Amino acid sequence: MTENNTNTTTAQVLTGAPLAGRVAVVTGASSGIGEATAERLAELGASVALIARREGRLKELEGRIVAAGGRAVAIPTDVTDRAAMDAARERVGRELGTVDLVFANAGVQLISEIVDLEVDDWDAQIDLNIKGVMNTIRAWVRDLEASAAEGKPADLVVTSSIAATRVLEKFQVYSGTKAYITQLVRLLRTELGRKNVRVSSVAPGMVDTELPDHVTDADASRLMADLIEQIDVLQSADVAETVAFLAAVPAHVNLTEITILPTAQAI
Ligand SMILES: NC(=O)c1ccc[n+]([C@@H]2O[C@H](COP(=O)([O-])OP(=O)(O)OC[C@H]3O[C@@H](n4cnc5c(N)ncnc54)[C@H](OP(=O)(O)O)[C@@H]3O)[C@@H](O)[C@H]2O)c1
C-alpha cells in the first residue's frame, strides 16, 4: 500500500446515521477495504464486529471507533477455521445481538503460472476466498433470515473482483475463486431474495491496499505497482462508501452486482 493514501474521508457521500440500529460483521477488518468499511459503517450508526487474524490491528480500529462515539468489538478469528467461527458467532450474538449486515470480505491474491505448481498458494486462496466466505455465511445466514423475518433490512455483501470475469494472465486460481463468489451471490439471491435478505457482490478494480504485498510474482507485482503509480486508483474508502450505500437504501432495493473501477483503469 502506498504511503500517502490513507485518507478515509474523501469518498463520503452518505450523511447522518442511516445505519443506526444495524448490527454488522466485517471480515478482513484489520486492513484495506474491510478496515475502511467497518469504520464507515460504525460512523453511520451500525454496531460492528471486527473479524480478522491480527488482534493488534483490530484493537486499534475498535479503539478508534469507540473514541469517535461508535460501537465495535474486535474478535480476532481465522475465518477458515469453522470452530473458531462458531465461537465468533456466539460472541457477536452475546455482545452485539442479531446480525443484519454481513460483509464477507477477507481474501488473498497469490499469482503464479499454473505449471509452477504453487499448490500451497492455490489452497490458501481456495480456503480463504471460497471456504472462508462459506464459513461466514454459515455463521450468520440464520441471523440475516431472522432479521428480515422481523421486517428489518438484512444484507449479505461479498467482495468479489473484476478478476471474476476478466482474463488476466497468471490469475487463474484467484480469478476462479472470485468467479465462484460472483456466481454464488446470483444463486443465493434465488433463495434469500424471496425471504427479503438482500445479497450483493462488490467487484472492485485496483484498490490501494495491502493485497499486492502478498504477491510474490515479480511481473504481477510490477503491473499493480505501475497502475497505482500511473492512475488515480480506488481507495478503500471508495469501496466502504459503496457498501454502506448498499445497506442504506430502502429494504426493498437490492443492488446486486456492483463493479467499481478507477475511472482511468482501462483494463
Ligand atoms: N485491493 C484490490 O485491488 C482488490 C481488488 C478486487 C478485490 N479485492 C478483494 O478485496 C478483499 C479485501 O482485500 P484488500 O484489498 O482490502 O486487501 P488486504 O488489505 O490485504 O485485506 C485482506 C484482509 O483479509 C484478512 N484475512 C486474511 N486471511 C484471513 C483469515 N484466514 N481469516 C480472517 N481474515 C483474514 C486480512 O487480515 P489478517 O491478515 O489480520 O487476518 C485483511 O484484513 C479481498 O477479498 C480481495 O480479494 C481487492
Side-chain angles (χ1 to χ4, degrees):
M1 181 174 170
T2 53
E3 288 300 315
N4 58 346
N5 282 323
T6 52
N7 188 344
T8 56
T9 60
T10 50
Q12 292 184 357
V13 176
L14 297 168
T15 56
L19 303 181
R22 303 289 301 266
V23 176
V25 169
V26 175
T27 73
S30 61
S31 63
I33 293 167
E35 179 180 12
T37 302
E39 194 157 14
R40 189 63 180 136
L41 297 177
E43 275 173 359
L44 294 167
S47 302
V48 188
L50 311 171
I51 292 188
R53 293 165 305 173
R54 285 171 291 177
E55 184 169 9
R57 296 280 293 253
L58 294 183
K59 284 276 180 204
E60 272 175 39
L61 176 59
E62 180 193 276
R64 281 207 309 279
I65 290 172
V66 171
R71 188 161 180 222
V73 48
I75 307 181
T77 310
D78 183 338
V79 299
T80 68
D81 180 341
R82 207 175 272 167
M85 288 294 273
D86 281 341
R89 172 170 50 96
E90 198 275 319
R91 212 181 135 194
V92 173
R94 188 162 24 91
E95 298 194 23
L96 298 180
T98 305
V99 169
D100 59 41
L101 201 177
V102 175
F103 184 36
N105 163 76
V108 67
Q109 179 193 66
L110 303 165
I111 307 303
S112 62
E113 293 198 327
I114 215 73
V115 293
D116 290 339
L117 303 183
E118 298 283 2
V119 291
D120 291 343
D121 287 357
W122 302 353
D123 285 353
Q125 293 175 97
I126 292 164
D127 286 347
L128 180 58
N129 301 1
I130 295 180
K131 293 186 188 169
V133 169
M134 297 315 295
N135 287 343
T136 306
I137 292 170
R138 173 181 172 270
W140 286 291
V141 69
R142 296 264 166 78
D143 275 25
L144 294 176
E145 201 181 4
S147 294
E150 285 177 30
K152 297 178 189 159
D155 288 286
L156 170 62
V157 183
V158 190
T159 308
S160 183
S161 166
I162 59 163
T165 49
R166 301 193 185 194
V167 176
L168 304 164
E169 269 184 76
K170 302 186 191 178
F171 277 64
Q172 298 94 325
V173 178
Y174 179 74
S175 287
T177 64
K178 294 303 185 179
Y180 174 96
I181 293 302
T182 295
Q183 188 67 352
L184 172 75
V185 162
R186 290 179 187 144
L187 274 290
L188 287 176
R189 287 203 69 255
T190 66
E191 181 180 339
L192 297 177
R194 63 171 66 97
K195 295 179 178 175
N196 287 321
V197 176
R198 297 185 290 201
V199 190
S200 312
S201 61
V202 174
M206 190 68 216
V207 191
D208 186 15
T209 70
E210 293 178 14
L211 197 74
D213 299 356
H214 308 289
V215 173
T216 51
D217 180 87
D219 293 338
S221 295
R222 200 171 318 111
L223 186 86
M224 288 181 266
D226 285 351
L227 209 51
I228 291 174
E229 186 81 23
Q230 289 159 7
I231 67 166
D232 194 3
V233 297
L234 297 172
Q235 299 304 314
S236 295
D238 301 318
V239 183
E241 198 69 9
T242 305
V243 175
F245 184 77
L246 296 182
V249 293
H252 68 283
V253 180
N254 188 175
L255 295 158
T256 59
E257 294 181 39
I258 309 293
T259 300
I260 317 174
L261 283 170
T263 303
Q265 184 175 351
I267 54 155

